Amino acid sequence: MENIFAGLELLARWDVILALLVGSIGGVIIGAIPGVGAAVAIAILLPATFSLEPIVGLTMLLGIYGSSMYGGAIPAVLINTPGTAVNALTCYDGYPMTKRGEAHRAVSLAYSASFWGGIFSVGCLILLSPVLALIAPMFGSREIFLAALLGIILVILAHRGQIFAAGLLAMFGIFLQTVGLDAVTYTQRYTFGYSFLSSGIDLIVVVLGLFALSQAFFLLTGPDESPDAKPVTGRMTDGIKELMKHKRVATVASGFGVILGMIPGTGEFTAQFMSYTYAQKTSKQPEQFGKGSPEGLIASEAANNAVPAAAMIPLLALGIPGEALTAMMLSVFYVHNVIPGPQLFQNNIDLVYGLYFALIALNVIVMVFLLFSTNLLTKIIRVPTRFLGVMILLLAFVGVYSLRNSLTDCMIAAGFGVLGLVLKRLNLPIVPIILGMVLGGIMEVKLRSAMPRLKSPLDMIDRPISFILFVLIVLVIAVHLRALIKEVRTRQPDEDHDLHDSQMR
């Protein structure tokens, strides 16, 4: 109880409340504008949070992270354009409901399902806290190294159909974090005689380039559009009543979000598709899915909003981010010398509980805000894309320059912005680069820390948790290889059959 009161006391500060309001409401607005998204907003705001206290900066970023998906559902439902990438599945059933004249029903259902998923996942996070506090100290250097390695493997394997490209990009990210002065031996690594590389390539510069500047370039090089969303009439509280009729779907979908949110590399998309598939298979009207099914809409929104709180579990307990947004938050911890992992639950438990209660508060704030401001947000959706591009470009360069007052950082960020634009045009993932930089750095530090105590390679897995992690790594790779072999074998007869038919003709 003492920890709970300490967390509440931390959250009750005026600057934390202000940060939570700004992050929560700002996240909804950003999520409602197609083409921006939480990653761009967090990347732009990241330099500003370094001057704030950890709880203030993290609360603001958490507000954006947790609330952007609420806002992203509005254009997905009204104009068939997801505000954020993870709201893509919401279009399947939300937009058909709008075309039937049920826009207010679809929007209110999306809000209610998102709120259910958010509160459910925070509840799970609080219940798991005592377990995390017990397990986290059991993780030493070798366990965290293997957990980070498992995270990178899962991130790569999560990009089905692009595994080779995702692997190369992750390795590129690992390489980037090695550039500069080695902290142990004080030798130059991959600087090639350029003095500006001696301090390394800053993670935030890369983040701003790959996410913010690339999106600005993408919007500026595309056609100028102003999406038209019509006002919504009706009571937004109606969705809460209808959600109660589908409690099972909402709860199971939230469960998928919690479980998959804890696993690095899986995240919202996998949770959504698994919950959507479950809802369809157990529905009494499966033929309605994709044509305006309320169950499909609930499954999608409850699952994706359950992920943010769950993604905090590996971040807080082990210091291992599961995706790009939590990787950005990790940098805020590091700047303030607050290291997530086993020691956090022993030394800064009030900060942990403060973040938990911030997650609850942001869901309540967002829900209340949306009940009264949906039609205002439909006007914001109409912002021209070229104007958005210019604003993102300006804010991103200001953010990069404010880090170290360096024009060199701006040039490096611009280079990564062009790289990000190329990757987007080629439909290749950006996230593996960021996670490669973050997890690669963790792996290097922990491996160096573990090496003096290892007499043979087998000593790396001679403890229970390290052995379990090693077995998981082997199983994940084996299962994926088995799936690939099975796919090749099923494809081969089809190709032979097509070849035979062409020869017969």
Side-chain angles (χ1 to χ4, degrees), residues 198-271:
S198 297
S199 57
I201 297 175
D202 194 280
L203 173 66
I204 310 307
V205 173
V206 177
V207 165
L208 281 162
L210 287 176
F211 286 97
L213 290 177
S214 69
Q215 187 63 26
F217 295 155
F218 186 82
L219 293 173
L220 290 170
T221 55
D224 193 16
E225 298 174 347
S226 298
D228 185 23
K230 296 179 181 178
V232 179
T233 56
R235 292 185 302 176
M236 290 298 151
T237 53
D238 292 344
I240 300 171
K241 298 175 185 176
E242 188 171 358
L243 182 74
M244 291 298 104
K245 299 176 185 177
H246 304 289
K247 292 192 295 288
R248 175 185 55 81
V249 172
T251 305
V252 173
S254 302
F256 277 122
V258 170
I259 293 167
L260 292 166
M262 290 189 291
I263 303 171
T266 52
E268 295 93 345
F269 292 107
T270 310

Side-chain angles (χ1 to χ4, degrees), residues 413-465:
F416 279 103
V418 173
L419 173 63
L421 177 63
V422 171
L423 292 175
K424 284 182 179 181
R425 295 290 189 195
L426 296 174
N427 198 28
L428 293 174
I430 292 173
V431 172
I433 299 177
I434 302 301
L435 290 180
M437 286 188 74
V438 175
L439 295 177
I442 292 170
M443 286 168 63
E444 181 182 5
V445 170
K446 296 304 177 184
L447 183 61
R448 278 180 160 172
S449 177
M451 285 298 287
R453 294 184 290 276
L454 302 179
K455 295 180 181 178
S456 72
L458 290 176
D459 289 345
M460 181 65 79
I461 56 171
D462 66 351
R463 298 198 296 211
I465 295 178

Side-chain angles (χ1 to χ4, degrees), residues 60-76:
M60 186 184 295
L61 298 184
L62 264 181
I64 295 171
Y65 182 24
S67 63
S68 61
M69 297 170 201
Y70 280 90
I74 299 172

Side-chain angles (χ1 to χ4, degrees), residues 246-328:
H246 304 289
K247 292 192 295 288
R248 175 185 55 81
V249 172
T251 305
V252 173
S254 302
F256 277 122
V258 170
I259 293 167
L260 292 166
M262 290 189 291
I263 303 171
T266 52
E268 295 93 345
F269 292 107
T270 310
Q272 276 183 309
F273 282 105
M274 288 183 73
S275 60
Y276 193 86
T277 303
Y278 165 83
Q280 188 173 19
K281 287 184 177 179
T282 58
S283 175
K284 294 178 181 178
Q285 296 178 309
E287 71 281 353
Q288 289 297 314
F289 279 68
K291 300 176 183 177
S293 168
E295 291 174 279
L297 183 59
I298 290 168
S300 170
E301 284 298 303
N304 67 30
N305 261 64
V307 170
M312 296 298 290
I313 293 174
L315 178 69
L316 295 175
L318 303 175
I320 295 174
E323 35 76 72
L325 299 182
T326 46
M328 295 182 206

Side-chain angles (χ1 to χ4, degrees), residues 12-132:
R13 287 169 36 183
W14 71 268
D15 51 351
V16 177
I17 293 171
L18 181 62
L20 190 58
L21 285 169
V22 170
S24 302
I25 295 173
V28 174
I29 295 170
I30 288 160
I33 304 172
V36 184
V40 175
I42 290 177
I44 290 171
L45 281 174
L46 208 52
T49 61
F50 291 165
S51 61
L52 304 173
E53 288 185 45
I55 185 64
V56 180
L58 287 167
T59 299
M60 186 184 295
L61 298 184
L62 264 181
I64 295 171
Y65 182 24
S67 63
S68 61
M69 297 170 201
Y70 280 90
I74 299 172
V77 168
L78 299 181
I79 60 173
N80 202 29
T81 303
T84 68
V86 296
N87 294 106
L89 201 59
T90 306
C91 299
Y92 285 20
D93 293 288
Y95 188 62
M97 291 174 76
T98 298
K99 290 202 295 185
R100 290 202 305 253
E102 300 175 353
H104 104 272
R105 180 191 177 198
V107 171
S108 62
L109 260 182
Y111 294 165
S112 304
S114 295
F115 182 75
W116 183 288
I119 295 298
F120 180 91
S121 62
V122 178
C124 291
L125 182 60
I126 293 172
L127 290 174
L128 282 170
S129 274
V131 181
L132 292 175

